[in-house]
Amino acid sequence: MIKRSPYEILGLEGDFEFKDIKKAYRKAIRENSPDTNPKQFALISDAYDALTNEEYFIQGVENDKFILDVSIEREENQKTNNSKYLKDIFEVPFKI
Amino acid sequence: MAKKKKKKFQKKQLLSLFHNENYQKVISKIKQFEIDGMSDKELYQIQITSYEKLANANFKLGDINRAMRDMESLLTIDSSEEYKIIKLKYLCYMEYFKDAIIFAQDLINSKNSKIKKEALFLYILANIYSGNYDIEEKFLKLLPIARVNYILGFKEFLEGNIEEALLYLDKCNPRVKIEKKNIEAIKSIILNQETTSSEILKPLYRFLINGDDTNLQNTKNSRIIKKDILTQFYKNKKSSEIEKLISLKSSIPIETIVEEIKDKEKQTKLIYNNIVLLVDKQKNYHKALELFIKNKNQLVQIVESAVLLIQIKSLLDDTKSDKIVLNFLSNYLKLHYKKLSPFQLDFIFVFLIQSSQINTSIRIIKEYNGEDILFILKDLIEITEVEPQIQERFNRIIKRYSFIKDKTFEAILGVIDSFNENISIIKSKEIELFAKQLSKILTLFQNCQKPHKKYQPKIFKILSSISSFIQNLDFATNRDLYIQLSETINRFIEIFNIDREDLSKDIKILFISLEKEKSIKKEKKTDDETMFDIFKQIVNDYDEDDFDDMLNSFDEDYLDDNDLARIKKDFIEALKNNQTPFNNELEDIEDSFNNPIIFEFILDLVGKAIEFDRYDDSFTQTLLDNMYIEPQDNYYREDLIMAIKKYAKKDIKIAIIFFYDCITLVPTNQRETVWYLKWLEAYLYLVDDYAQPRDKAFKGCLNHFIKVQQKKRFKTLNDKFKKLINRFKDKGLF
């Protein structure tokens, strides 16, 4: 199963240390309580378990792959209107 | 001076070239030689046909200049209108519209009505393309209505009146199917709509729809446009590939990521994600490892990368990459050591110790304080003396529970059981030596402080194994070891407050031995040796290992029939009570049962969901997701059909509902495959055999089967296709 990276869910990046995982978890659940944001809360708990609960971690290694968040601002596919080229090249839809 | 006489060329040879459609050579031989034995009439006919065929072939390939050259040559021999009209067509395709208008003058007055109509059509279009939009009505009246509407539509289009153009094109309804398709293509191009391209379309339309420039007429304008359009399609293709990756649909070529994403951090993340998709979706583990290694210097920055690499390696039987992998993990630990939990480090150490590069592995493990893992997997079994620091380490390990360490202790179990298994072929000196080592291990257990209660089962398993082994040793000469073992067991019985009734058979026998003061030989054990296999290899100077087996051995808690019945009961209760029936227990079913049982279980639950009015469009998908089952996977496909056919005898309605759910869950990109058509075929026969209504779903499956088979022409399905057509042709379904 593909899951979001637990580090990213907990907002951990750069030069953090293992002890920071707990802090990040606490901060994340403060901001996403089970009442106000149950889905996010479940994700956060799952992420925390994946990083701190040994059995859960081993299960994850067997079953899950972690994917990273990448936001790419991309131009919409350039949908150039090709009809203008019909005017330049001769073609007819009939058999002649 | 007399003209040099031409050499002769045999008629037979020329005809052979002609029949082999080698028209270029035919023309060149006629120019070069006198054809011996061929009449002028025959020669004329051969020349005409050759030039005509050559012109036509070159035109179809898009080489309009060569086509025109051949046609000009032909016209020097025969200037009939039949060939002039072809020249007129070529002039238009060469975009020589002014020349075309002049050249058409005679032809539009031809007495041959077919020539006249063709000439008029081209003449009017040449005028329009030259910017002369005044069309004489009397000419239009002579043309078929489809062509008139096309001319008027195209005129409006060139003048920028798109709505009017489309109205005319809508009315333009040629009789020939290919021509209809071409008109549709023009409309889609004008409207800038997505449409599917096909080989039957005219080259220009196909080119504008999907950038395929095959057979596009090579003219000055087309060369300019080609560059624009191909750049645009190439750019769009790359964009949609990146989209595919971002939306996690599938992996894409790494080159595309590197070309398209310049931000190094994002690029690295995308490369990582791409490898994840290669593993998870494409199941292409070799390619995944290859890409990982190729991009290791970037990927090492990502804290998630080590687990991914170990996952990939565990899926492959590969030692070639061990050196590079070790190097990667060494660099990885340098960067991320502080971020990892002790058990994550242990996990990496367990992986490292199975590498073929054992010395490097040990160095890395020691560098990052992984001596505990080394101790359990290596030192413990090689123990000769119980030095204080060894006892201290053992005490520390056993005091604090670790899941990975607990599993790692299984290695020693494997070694003891191996001795038990092979005792008859092991030399007595080796047995003696091993008994001494066991005595040292027992000393460690005897002297350890109170171990963590979660280690209790493992400790008793080890003691039980030693109890079994010890029965192979003569009691009198090994009395001390018997006593040491019993004392150790008694100590742990006390520590963990164990009921003696619950002790294993081997331990109970040990106590009988002590009472009777003799060893009691027993039957050999035949337990699974997976862990031993691993350990044996480790102690044998760390040869190649199968890490996958080790991971699998971590998960031994399979469900039994009672569990399955209980899970089903709970699920049905939840359905009945309007609660969420899906829970974590569902995910263990897939590991514990074979496919027919799993599908029967699912079908029963679908049936119950329908019965309690809890079934909706997402029910099947949610259930399958919870069970981590994708029926379209190769592993399930065949069994699904068998299970559904079997279930149909019990309840056809549930069988076809579930089957159709599975069919609709198949991703679009897998719907033109042989196995998918086989699913459809099975579905169609099932519905028909059981006289179920031929609803929209049924017709959709039937049409899709026919459409795809007609398109793909899978040889293996030819007979099935004919059979299916025969079965349904008289039923007004198509």
Side-chain angles (χ1 to χ4, degrees):
Chain A
M1 190 180 180
I2 290 184
K3 287 183 171 180
R4 281 179 60 204
S5 155
Y7 293 102
E8 291 189 343
I9 291 173
L10 296 176
L12 290 157
E13 54 180 353
D15 284 332
F16 63 90
E17 290 188 14
F18 178 63
K19 63 181 185 217
D20 298 324
I21 293 176
K22 201 168 195 168
K23 287 182 206 162
Y25 167 69
R26 284 187 178 147
K27 184 172 176 279
I29 54 167
R30 260 200 311 277
E31 289 163 6
N32 299 278
S33 76
D35 303 330
T36 55
N37 205 344
K39 271 191 184 169
Q40 190 59 22
F41 177 81
L43 270 181
I44 293 163
S45 302
D46 195 54
Y48 183 64
D49 282 343
L51 299 179
T52 57
N53 178 326
E54 200 177 358
E55 289 181 44
Y56 203 88
F57 167 77
I58 293 292
Q59 274 174 29
V61 171
E62 288 184 332
N63 303 313
D64 304 326
K65 309 277 175 303
F66 295 128
I67 209 91
L68 306 175
D69 271 342
V70 191
S71 61
I72 308 266
E73 279 175 30
R74 295 183 59 78
E75 292 169 21
E76 281 272 308
N77 265 3
Q78 292 281 318
K79 240 184 132 189
T80 315
N81 193 338
N82 291 338
S83 67
K84 62 184 177 196
Y85 299 119
L86 287 173
K87 298 172 186 175
D88 294 320
I89 303 180
F90 184 86
E91 183 63 276
V92 286
F94 304 101
K95 187 176 183 295
I96 53 170
Chain B
M1 203 172 124
K3 199 178 173 184
K4 202 179 170 187
K5 208 178 173 188
K6 270 188 177 178
K7 282 184 185 170
K8 288 191 176 176
F9 192 77
Q10 290 304 311
K11 173 183 174 181
K12 200 178 158 189
Q13 285 175 283
L14 190 78
L15 286 176
S16 162
L17 288 172
F18 183 77
H19 292 308
N20 287 327
E21 298 181 2
N22 199 343
Y23 303 117
Q24 193 61 58
K25 274 223 159 131
V26 170
I27 297 293
S28 111
K29 296 296 174 198
I30 291 173
K31 279 184 183 167
Q32 220 180 327
F33 300 101
E34 184 186 329
I35 308 301
D36 195 22
M38 186 170 265
S39 70
D40 287 347
K41 199 178 169 187
E42 280 176 315
L43 199 59
Y44 161 82
Q45 202 52 54
I46 280 190
Q47 271 184 295
I48 293 287
T49 312
S50 299
Y51 276 126
E52 195 183 354
K53 296 266 188 193
L54 273 175
N56 193 35
N58 282 323
F59 176 75
K60 280 188 176 163
L61 287 172
D63 194 344
I64 187 67
N65 288 312
R66 282 202 172 161
M68 181 58 113
R69 188 198 62 196
D70 295 327
M71 193 45 63
E72 294 275 24
S73 301
L74 190 156
L75 284 166
T76 60
I77 306 165
D78 186 338
S79 59
S80 64
E81 287 181 334
E82 186 191 342
Y83 301 120
K84 281 184 176 171
I85 195 77
I86 299 174
K87 180 179 170 178
L88 175 60
K89 176 171 92 168
Y90 290 174
L91 282 170
C92 290
Y93 274 96
M94 290 176 90
E95 295 146 11
Y96 293 169
F97 299 116
K98 285 186 180 148
D99 293 344
I101 292 164
I102 296 165
F103 189 73
Q105 295 295 341
D106 290 344
L107 294 171
I108 60 175
N109 293 315
S110 170
K111 285 176 184 157
N112 179 332
S113 108
K114 202 180 162 201
I115 298 283
K116 189 181 175 90
K117 282 181 188 173
E118 288 291 337
L120 273 172
F121 180 59
L122 293 167
Y123 171 76
I124 297 169
L125 285 175
N127 269 292
I128 295 176
Y129 274 96
S130 319
N132 176 14
Y133 303 131
D134 295 328
I135 305 166
E136 288 189 53
E137 272 212 30
K138 64 174 183 183
F139 289 153
L140 286 179
K141 279 180 186 166
L142 296 168
L143 293 176
I145 191 72
R147 294 196 180 197
V148 172
N149 280 317
Y150 171 73
I151 289 169
L152 295 173
F154 206 74
K155 176 179 113 42
E156 294 293 345
F157 168 66
L158 289 178
E159 288 183 296
N161 306 321
I162 304 297
E163 280 181 29
E164 288 81 354
L166 289 167
L167 283 176
Y168 279 116
L169 290 173
D170 276 339
K171 282 195 272 179
C172 174
N173 192 16
R175 277 181 299 173
V176 185
K177 197 181 165 193
I178 299 169
E179 295 179 353
K180 279 186 208 292
K181 292 258 178 207
N182 279 305
I183 295 283
E184 289 307 316
I186 298 174
K187 286 197 284 187
S188 303
I189 295 165
I190 291 176
L191 289 166
N192 211 18
Q193 286 173 335
E194 294 282 328
T195 184
T196 46
S197 177
S198 97
E199 282 180 19
I200 61 167
L201 289 184
K202 295 267 183 171
L204 176 64
Y205 308 146
R206 203 170 57 228
F207 175 58
L208 295 178
I209 287 168
N210 70 357
D212 171 10
D213 64 345
T214 315
N215 299 343
L216 181 69
Q217 290 301 334
N218 182 11
T219 65
K220 194 180 163 192
N221 275 340
S222 71
R223 282 193 292 274
I224 298 166
I225 289 167
K226 219 157 134 175
K227 212 176 154 192
D228 278 4
I229 301 250
L230 291 179
T231 314
Q232 173 199 317
F233 276 102
Y234 180 76
K235 210 173 151 194
N236 286 350
K237 193 179 161 227
K238 299 276 167 193
S239 269
S240 29
E241 277 183 344
I242 294 286
E243 287 303 321
K244 239 192 263 175
L245 172 60
I246 289 175
S247 57
L248 307 180
K249 280 184 187 147
S250 72
S251 65
I252 64 170
I254 292 284
E255 295 73 33
T256 308
I257 303 172
V258 177
E259 275 172 35
E260 291 290 293
I261 309 296
K262 298 296 171 203
D263 179 316
K264 212 68 186 168
E265 195 186 327
K266 287 179 180 176
Q267 190 189 86
T268 307
K269 283 183 172 185
L270 284 175
I271 291 173
Y272 168 91
N273 284 356
N274 202 51
I275 295 171
V276 168
L277 293 177
L278 256 179
V279 177
D280 199 76
K281 303 247 176 190
Q282 273 85 40
K283 316 277 181 210
N284 192 344
Y285 312 124
H286 282 285
K287 181 84 183 162
L289 181 64
E290 186 194 318
L291 288 182
F292 197 106
I293 289 171
K294 214 171 168 183
N295 297 281
K296 61 183 188 309
N297 294 341
Q298 276 178 266
L299 293 169
V300 76
Q301 303 294 332
I302 297 177
V303 66
E304 293 85 350
S305 61
V307 168
L308 177 63
L309 177 60
I310 293 172
Q311 284 172 322
I312 298 170
K313 280 282 283 179
S314 72
L315 292 162
L316 291 168
D317 184 18
D318 162 82
T319 50
K320 275 187 199 164
S321 62
D322 280 3
K323 207 171 172 180
I324 301 170
V325 167
L326 251 60
N327 192 267
F328 172 87
L329 288 173
S330 172
N331 292 334
Y332 172 88
L333 287 168
K334 249 179 237 164
L335 281 174
H336 303 293
Y337 170 66
K338 286 185 177 171
K339 297 173 189 170
L340 305 178
S341 63
F343 62 79
Q344 279 174 308
L345 287 167
D346 282 349
F347 172 74
I348 295 173
F349 298 149
V350 170
F351 171 77
L352 281 170
I353 212 163
Q354 294 162 88
S355 161
S356 56
Q357 308 285 314
I358 189 63
N359 291 333
T360 318
S361 291
I362 292 175
R363 183 184 54 74
I364 299 171
I365 294 170
K366 283 184 175 168
E367 195 179 338
Y368 293 98
N369 306 322
E371 283 94 343
D372 284 357
I373 291 291
L374 274 182
F375 174 77
I376 302 169
L377 283 174
K378 186 173 179 290
D379 302 343
L380 193 58
I381 203 67
E382 293 170 355
I383 191 166
T384 49
E385 282 306 319
V386 182
E387 288 163 10
Q389 69 271 25
I390 293 178
Q391 184 67 55
E392 269 172 41
R393 184 174 296 281
F394 185 75
N395 289 352
R396 208 173 48 242
I397 292 171
I398 211 87
K399 195 175 173 187
R400 196 184 173 109
Y401 181 77
S402 149
F403 182 75
I404 292 177
K405 288 190 182 106
D406 183 73
K407 293 294 172 191
T408 315
F409 272 118
E410 283 174 18
I412 197 161
L413 269 175
V415 174
I416 302 167
D417 287 344
S418 155
F419 267 88
N420 283 334
E421 270 293 291
N422 303 300
I423 200 80
S424 58
I425 54 165
I426 299 173
K427 289 175 189 165
S428 55
K429 205 171 177 186
E430 272 184 63
I431 297 172
E432 230 175 82
L433 199 67
F434 188 59
K436 277 183 188 166
Q437 281 178 304
L438 285 180
S439 167
K440 306 294 174 201
I441 292 171
L442 285 173
T443 306
L444 285 174
F445 277 101
Q446 264 182 313
N447 297 330
C448 76
Q449 288 149 5
K450 190 180 177 182
H452 194 284
K453 62 180 176 194
K454 277 192 168 180
Y455 278 124
Q456 179 201 311
K458 194 56 48 69
I459 290 172
F460 273 91
K461 263 191 180 178
I462 293 170
L463 294 173
S464 183
S465 246
I466 299 175
S467 302
S468 173
F469 170 78
I470 209 168
Q471 299 295 347
N472 298 302
L473 307 175
D474 176 58
F475 185 87
T477 46
N478 292 281
R479 175 189 291 269
D480 288 348
L481 188 60
Y482 272 84
I483 292 170
Q484 187 189 12
L485 176 60
S486 66
E487 281 175 0
T488 313
I489 292 170
N490 279 328
R491 181 164 182 256
F492 285 107
I493 289 173
E494 214 170 286
I495 288 173
F496 293 120
N497 198 16
I498 304 280
D499 185 340
R500 284 179 178 269
E501 277 304 302
D502 296 336
L503 292 171
S504 74
K505 200 175 156 192
D506 286 325
I507 293 178
K508 284 177 182 167
I509 292 171
L510 171 82
F511 287 121
I512 297 168
S513 277
L514 280 160
E515 270 177 36
K516 296 191 173 174
E517 299 210 332
K518 65 172 191 179
S519 65
I520 301 166
K521 297 276 180 199
K522 53 188 276 300
E523 285 176 12
K524 286 176 184 175
K525 283 175 78 176
T526 53
D527 287 348
D528 183 13
E529 304 291 350
T530 316
M531 206 58 202
F532 163 65
D533 291 341
I534 293 164
F535 195 81
K536 203 171 120 194
Q537 285 167 357
I538 293 169
V539 291
N540 285 339
D541 286 326
Y542 308 93
D543 285 335
E544 289 170 33
D545 257 333
D546 189 350
F547 187 63
D548 200 18
D549 283 353
M550 189 161 185
L551 281 179
N552 287 338
S553 74
F554 284 4
D555 188 6
E556 290 172 335
D557 299 327
Y558 294 118
L559 302 175
D560 59 22
D561 291 347
N562 293 334
D563 293 322
L564 191 68
R566 180 183 47 74
I567 294 169
K568 189 194 271 187
K569 196 177 154 226
D570 291 347
F571 193 97
I572 295 168
E573 277 300 308
L575 282 173
K576 212 189 278 182
N577 299 327
N578 219 17
Q579 294 163 343
T580 307
F582 306 107
N583 59 46
N584 290 343
E585 283 194 304
L586 290 165
E587 69 189 46
D588 296 329
I589 293 171
E590 204 277 337
D591 287 336
S592 308
F593 297 97
N594 60 27
N595 289 345
I597 292 175
I598 291 170
F599 283 125
E600 192 185 355
F601 172 84
I602 294 170
L603 278 151
D604 280 345
L605 296 188
V606 171
K608 286 290 172 191
I610 294 168
E611 186 185 327
F612 297 124
D613 202 19
R614 297 287 306 277
Y615 175 83
D616 60 21
D617 289 349
S618 62
F619 180 85
T620 301
Q621 181 160 20
T622 314
L623 179 58
L624 292 173
D625 285 351
N626 271 273
M627 296 177 76
Y628 296 106
I629 289 173
E630 290 187 332
Q632 68 268 24
D633 270 8
N634 202 10
Y635 176 66
Y636 300 110
R637 282 176 207 157
E638 292 285 325
D639 290 341
L640 174 80
I641 297 180
M642 302 294 286
I644 284 174
K645 281 183 181 169
K646 192 179 161 202
Y647 205 87
K649 290 174 189 161
K650 190 169 147 190
D651 192 325
I652 178 64
K653 285 207 167 21
I654 293 166
I656 60 173
I657 286 172
F658 176 64
F659 200 178
Y660 189 66
D661 279 346
C662 293
I663 287 170
T664 55
L665 288 175
V666 174
T668 323
N669 62 3
Q670 292 181 35
R671 291 186 183 186
E672 293 193 356
T673 52
V674 170
W675 67 263
Y676 183 70
L677 294 194
K678 281 185 180 171
W679 271 22
L680 296 186
E681 185 208 22
Y683 175 79
L684 294 167
Y685 284 136
L686 199 65
V687 172
D688 206 53
D689 288 345
Y690 284 85
Q692 294 300 298
R694 292 195 196 100
D695 55 8
K696 213 171 147 187
F698 177 86
K699 285 174 189 162
C701 290
L702 183 60
N703 286 333
H704 187 83
F705 184 99
I706 293 170
K707 199 175 90 189
V708 174
Q709 179 57 13
Q710 279 175 340
K711 181 178 158 194
K712 295 276 183 178
R713 299 190 185 282
F714 294 119
K715 277 185 189 165
T716 48
L717 293 180
N718 272 345
D719 291 342
K720 290 180 186 295
F721 180 70
K722 282 178 200 158
K723 208 176 135 195
L724 195 96
I725 295 284
N726 281 335
R727 172 93 168 246
F728 297 115
K729 71 179 174 190
D730 299 327
K731 298 184 179 174
L733 289 162
F734 46 84

